[in-house]
Amino acid sequence: MLFNSLHFVWFFIVVYAIYRALPHRPQNWLLLVASYYFYAAWDWRFLGLLVASTIVDYSCARALDRQTDPVWRKRLLWFSITFNLTLLGFFKYFNFFADNLHLIFGALGWQVDFFTLRVLLPIGISFYTFVTMSYVIDVYRREIRPTRDLLDFAVFVAYFPHLVAGPILRATMLLPQIGRPRRITGEQLRDGAWLIAWGYFLKVFVADNVAPLANAVFDPETPATGVNVLLGVYAFAFQIYGDFAGYSNIARGTSKLMGIELIENFRFPYFVRTPQEFWRHWHISLSTWLRDYLYIPLGGSRGTPARTRRNLMVTMLLGGLWHGAAWTFVLWGAYQGALLGLYRTAGGRPAVRQWLLGNTPVARLLGWFVMFHLTCYGWLIFRASSAAQIGSLTTSLLTAFAPSSVDFTGLLVPLALYVTPLLLVHAGEAWFNDVLIVRRTPIGVRYSVYAATLYLIVLFGNFGGADFIYFQF
Amino acid sequence: MGRPQSPDRGARHRVRHVLFFAAIAAAQFGIFEIALRTWGSSEAAPAFQGLFEGDPRIGYRLKPRASVRFATAEFETDIAINGAGVRDDEEIGPKQPDEKRIVVLGDSLVLSVQVPLAQTFGELLEKRLNADTAAGRYRVINAGVQGYGPVEEALFFESLADTVQPDLVLVTVFVGNDAEEAFQSFSKLGGPGSGGMVAARDTLRTHLRRLVRRSMVLQVVRLRVNMVLGRLGFSLTPPEPPLQSYAASPAPRIREGLAVARRSIEHIMATASRVNARTAVVLMPARFQVDDADYGRLRTAVANAGGELIRDAATERFEEALAPVNVPRLDLLPALRATLPGPDVFFQTNVHLTPHGHQVVADAIARFIRDHHLLTARD
């Protein structure tokens, strides 16, 4: 069930009407049933995995809380982690590793018939396994007490706004909101409505309209000149942002309407000047998860600079692999790791501090420009279908830029039309450092933005019902 | 600490906000309307609307001697209407002794604003017929008008017949919506059963349509609303008009529409007979009857909504409805399907024929005329 489908609209209207009429405990039952229905609407067969993950991690956390023996506590923790990673590894990476081993053995001249399966990827598995793992790790670290209430825990795992594409929520944020009665304020209703409208705008006006522009440039059958590759990469940068931030906004908005706050997942990520800042503004729930459960346990920045760079690289490589079972994602992770490492090395140099990180308007503009293009090159790696395509597109950018060949009517003009309204709002958000700045502007500006958003969605939105990109992760 | 608002004050406050928002939305409506009229391209564009004028009997018709350039993302076309109110660069003029005239009646699929006049199947048919013979001269008159159904075509031909003096009238039936359109225009045909209730509803609908057609913003909103209703539709209301003719269990209005279409064709035959012309019917399929991908998408959408789409049902229903009428018929579907795989015969973003599609249709009609000796002298 897509957020941009009428099925979801009907689903939410019905659920919300009943939700508002119920007291707290039945509300939680309703949320659980609705969330399982939401998940089963994709493929009911995978509902068992979600339920199994819920029961195993609930039980592990309860046992961890009772257990005082450190050896047994560690065993319980590893049991939970192994269970979750096995689910993730089997459903997401089995064929990837089998195919690659087959290639390696083939290259060595060994003919080995590997067992491959037509494994379907259960939607949202990368998200909910990370949610339950973080819960068990937090309980193991004694940072939180586990909930005794299986219903509350099941709602925490399956809560439909964040179930299939995040944000990856922490128990500290969501469980208390599920466990106590909720009071929905007028402010939450207004913020929620705006977040939903803005989320749909990002999805159907920005992402789904620029997608064909990016697809055309990334089509291996139709090679493009460097300038058009650049425009295509820009298009993909806004497609993936619009798609994912759109989903996150709709998730936050629907949740706000129910009186439950979710974490901000994006903060105008294309208006930053360093790789570190980028990861504090892009897919925030994943980057903080990786920081807290991978980077810091690896040693974080506590060791030598070389060790820190290694930790960054390992974290980003696994972060890349989390996005999908393909070498291009691993390469993208390596690229992000290298950028973060490079920033740690070069960020303190006087020239960099003066020209890219300084407070002058020129340094701000230059810093933003350089970081935006470094990010875009990352998206080229991310979107490419193979390492060979990364090579050919990079070659086009570097050796066949040909500015005169720019595709004005097919690429530049539509890209500018679909992206400019987003950039205007983003600029306001970045200027005031507030993702809900539109809600706090004077009434005339606010209503103008609301009306323009609605008109742009209705008149120019792409209502083809395209999937959200992050569902595949 | 401020004083709490009284309920009256709160309500007035909300009303002021709603009015303020409505004023901003109205101003932006104007801005979007101007922008779309200036840079957008659709049938609501003033240039395109300038092609039409009101007609007391038919509702509207092409405006004599109008001339516009119509441009969209897919095509840019110059359209000229001659003094007789049909698409042509030249006046029809008096009929020459050795001249044979063919009038092609139909809707937008005949008018074909998507392609230049020389690429329409009417013009191509004229060239093929003239190339086939040394003697005589053939003239094909494109009498298609956007949005016409069988009833309007019958009425339009009544007003045109004496001017053009045809030898052959080809009635191009778009099987996708002509039954629906005939049903809706029943009252215009007159005769028994065309009651005032239908006429009143039709007038209101016509007024609403005109209002929507005048605004580009409203046209897009209409499409969006139709889309939403269509998606909700199958569980709450019957399938939207273009698909109802293909539904496994169509609404009763389709059967009634087919009967009205038959009456309209008989009306055309009678008018043609009065001016010593013969009549033939050409059945034009919808794009999805030829395009497999389009068909797959629509079939799935209908199936998901609990309905059943039968790909050629509308063609078969028209064949069956017209069987009692003694009129030669050409179904274009086999000729269009025979082009697969090959270049598109229909545009991708609209349901009209591409230049290649026009060639295929012209070839098929030329063969049909020859095989049925439709232009030979009658015994």
Side-chain angles (χ1 to χ4, degrees), chain A residues 229-377:
Chain A
V229 169
L230 185 65
L231 291 175
V233 175
Y234 287 163
F236 182 68
F238 289 103
Q239 181 198 350
I240 194 166
Y241 172 75
D243 200 283
F244 196 17
Y247 186 93
S248 293
N249 276 332
I250 299 168
R252 281 186 71 208
T254 49
S255 191
K256 262 183 192 284
L257 295 185
M258 295 188 286
I260 296 174
E261 297 290 335
L262 302 185
I263 186 178
E264 256 175 29
N265 218 13
F266 293 88
R267 288 179 70 83
F268 36 87
Y270 295 145
F271 280 79
V272 297
R273 291 194 286 164
T274 69
Q276 206 171 41
E277 263 188 283
F278 177 79
W279 283 105
R280 287 177 186 152
H281 290 71
W282 177 273
H283 201 173
I284 297 165
S285 63
L286 175 68
S287 54
T288 50
W289 197 100
L290 291 172
R291 181 196 65 198
D292 295 346
Y293 301 106
L294 192 57
Y295 176 66
I296 291 174
L298 282 170
S301 56
R302 291 190 299 273
T304 61
R307 205 172 170 81
T308 301
R309 280 197 293 275
R310 184 209 68 175
N311 295 340
L312 283 170
M313 183 57 81
V314 170
T315 304
M316 296 318 293
L317 275 173
L318 290 172
L321 196 59
W322 175 89
H323 283 83
W327 285 109
T328 48
F329 294 129
V330 178
L331 277 174
W332 176 74
Y335 174 77
Q336 293 295 339
L339 277 187
L340 285 164
L342 188 69
Y343 171 67
R344 285 207 154 252
T345 308
R349 299 211 169 151
V352 174
R353 290 177 73 86
Q354 184 186 348
W355 290 106
L356 298 178
L357 306 176
N359 283 324
T360 63
V362 173
R364 281 175 187 277
L365 202 64
L366 205 59
W368 164 78
F369 180 84
V370 170
M371 188 57 216
F372 178 68
H373 284 85
L374 288 172
T375 306
C376 280
Y377 189 71

Side-chain angles (χ1 to χ4, degrees), chain B residues 42-345:
Chain B
S42 85
E43 291 169 18
F48 191 76
Q49 288 298 305
L51 277 179
F52 302 94
E53 66 176 14
D55 182 281
R57 192 158 177 225
I58 311 173
Y60 65 94
R61 59 188 295 156
L62 290 170
K63 190 175 180 177
R65 284 176 278 281
S67 170
V68 300
R69 166 163 287 204
F70 184 44
T72 72
E74 272 194 309
F75 55 84
E76 185 169 344
T77 325
D78 290 312
I79 305 156
I81 309 301
N82 67 16
V86 297
R87 185 180 179 188
D88 206 329
D89 299 330
E90 300 166 10
E91 294 301 330
I92 292 174
K95 192 174 177 184
Q96 302 301 312
D98 63 341
E99 187 179 342
K100 287 194 183 297
R101 287 181 173 176
I102 302 158
V103 168
V104 187
L105 296 170
D107 59 6
S108 56
L109 283 147
V110 175
L111 179 66
S112 305
V113 298
Q114 299 77 19
V115 296
L117 183 66
Q119 291 178 9
T120 59
F121 73 80
E123 288 288 309
L124 296 172
L125 174 64
E126 186 178 291
K127 280 196 186 119
R128 279 157 179 65
L129 292 173
N130 283 322
D132 277 358
T133 176
R137 178 173 169 263
Y138 293 98
R139 174 99 187 257
V140 177
I141 295 158
N142 179 339
V145 180
Q146 198 93 354
Y148 272 15
V151 174
E152 289 82 5
E153 287 157 23
L155 299 177
F156 181 52
F157 180 56
E158 233 179 51
S159 69
L160 195 69
D162 290 325
T163 314
V164 297
Q165 297 173 276
D167 297 281
L168 173 65
V169 182
L170 292 176
V171 187
T172 312
V173 172
F174 176 48
V175 300
N177 68 5
D178 270 7
E180 289 272 5
E181 297 202 335
F183 175 75
Q184 284 165 15
S185 301
F186 182 37
S187 60
K188 291 178 189 167
L189 204 55
S194 53
M197 200 47 211
V198 179
R201 207 173 57 216
D202 188 50
T203 308
L204 181 64
R205 181 188 279 264
T206 308
H207 281 300
L208 274 173
R209 273 187 177 175
R210 267 193 212 140
L211 179 73
V212 171
R213 279 193 175 180
R214 281 189 190 136
S215 160
M216 294 187 74
V217 171
L218 289 180
Q219 282 231 31
V220 181
V221 172
R222 179 181 65 88
L223 289 174
R224 302 300 195 201
V225 169
N226 281 351
M227 186 189 70
V228 171
L229 291 178
R231 285 188 191 171
L232 294 174
F234 296 103
S235 56
L236 300 176
T237 56
E240 61 183 282
L243 294 181
Q244 188 58 257
S245 297
Y246 297 88
S249 310
R253 67 175 187 276
I254 296 300
R255 193 168 34 81
E256 291 173 41
L258 287 166
V260 178
R262 188 176 61 219
R263 261 187 69 192
S264 305
I265 288 167
E266 284 168 345
H267 194 102
I268 292 169
M269 288 168 73
T271 310
S273 197
R274 184 171 57 75
V275 292
N276 287 321
R278 301 172 77 173
T279 306
V281 170
V282 176
L283 298 179
M284 177 74 77
R287 184 177 63 191
F288 78 86
Q289 290 181 259
V290 181
D291 184 328
D292 288 342
D294 206 17
Y295 170 58
R297 185 179 60 77
L298 285 172
R299 189 184 53 177
T300 307
V302 173
N304 286 343
E308 190 187 349
L309 184 74
I310 299 175
R311 195 173 191 180
D312 296 336
T315 304
E316 287 158 10
R317 283 173 184 148
F318 262 102
E319 288 274 17
E320 196 181 319
L322 297 178
V325 184
N326 184 22
V327 62
R329 289 189 303 277
L330 165 67
D331 178 10
L332 289 171
L333 193 53
L336 290 166
R337 277 194 187 148
T339 63
L340 300 175
D344 285 342
V345 288

Side-chain angles (χ1 to χ4, degrees), chain B residues 4-15:
Chain B
Q5 279 191 336
S6 70
D8 275 358
R9 221 177 134 194
R12 277 203 301 275
H13 180 73
R14 274 195 290 278
V15 169

Side-chain angles (χ1 to χ4, degrees), chain A residues 4 6 10 443-444 446-452 454-465, chain B residues 17-18 20-21 24-26 28-30 32 36 216-218 220-221 224 227-229 231-232 236:
Chain A
N4 54 338
L6 278 172
W10 279 120
I443 188 168
R446 189 162 77 237
Y447 282 4
S448 297
V449 176
Y450 291 169
L454 292 177
Y455 276 121
L456 290 173
I457 290 173
V458 172
L459 295 179
F460 306 107
N462 182 334
F463 291 89
Chain B
H17 274 250
V18 169
F20 187 46
F21 181 76
I24 287 174
Q28 289 194 6
F29 182 97
F32 279 108
L36 284 173
M216 294 187 74
V217 171
L218 289 180
V220 181
V221 172
R224 302 300 195 201
M227 186 189 70
V228 171
L229 291 178
R231 285 188 191 171
L232 294 174
L236 300 176

